[in-house]
Amino acid sequence: MLLDTDREEIKKMIREGVTEAIAESKKEIQDGVKDAIVGVKNEQRLTKEQIMAVKNRAERQKLIQQNMDLF
């Protein structure tokens, strides 16, 4: 059985892990979104590879839906 102090320590470790993971992924997510936005601004058609390289899942799915003919 876990003690309350153990539970609190586990919660703290999970929060720290999630925060660290988000911080490490932030640049990759921003780069993926920037690449997609630059392609749209330059009116260049994105390739399937560029779309799949977008790290942000929601943004990638949006781009896939907008470019279904590539898939």
Side-chain angles (χ1 to χ4, degrees):
M1 187 190 304
L2 289 174
L3 300 174
D4 285 336
T5 55
D6 294 336
R7 287 184 187 150
E8 291 305 314
E9 186 63 30
I10 291 170
K11 286 180 186 178
K12 180 181 173 185
M13 289 172 25
I14 291 171
R15 270 191 227 108
E16 289 172 357
V18 169
T19 302
E20 185 178 314
I22 291 171
E24 290 176 2
S25 302
K26 190 172 183 176
K27 178 152 176 40
E28 292 176 351
I29 292 169
Q30 289 173 338
D31 289 346
V33 172
K34 281 182 193 174
D35 289 345
I37 290 171
V38 167
V40 171
K41 282 185 179 176
N42 292 339
E43 296 182 18
Q44 296 174 349
R45 181 145 167 113
L46 294 174
T47 65
K48 180 178 179 179
E49 291 76 21
Q50 288 172 318
I51 293 171
M52 296 308 293
V54 173
K55 302 290 183 191
N56 182 302
R57 183 177 182 215
E59 185 65 27
R60 185 176 59 248
Q61 289 177 342
K62 179 180 163 187
L63 290 170
I64 289 171
Q65 286 180 342
Q66 292 173 348
N67 297 282
M68 283 301 293
D69 59 311
L70 297 176
F71 294 88

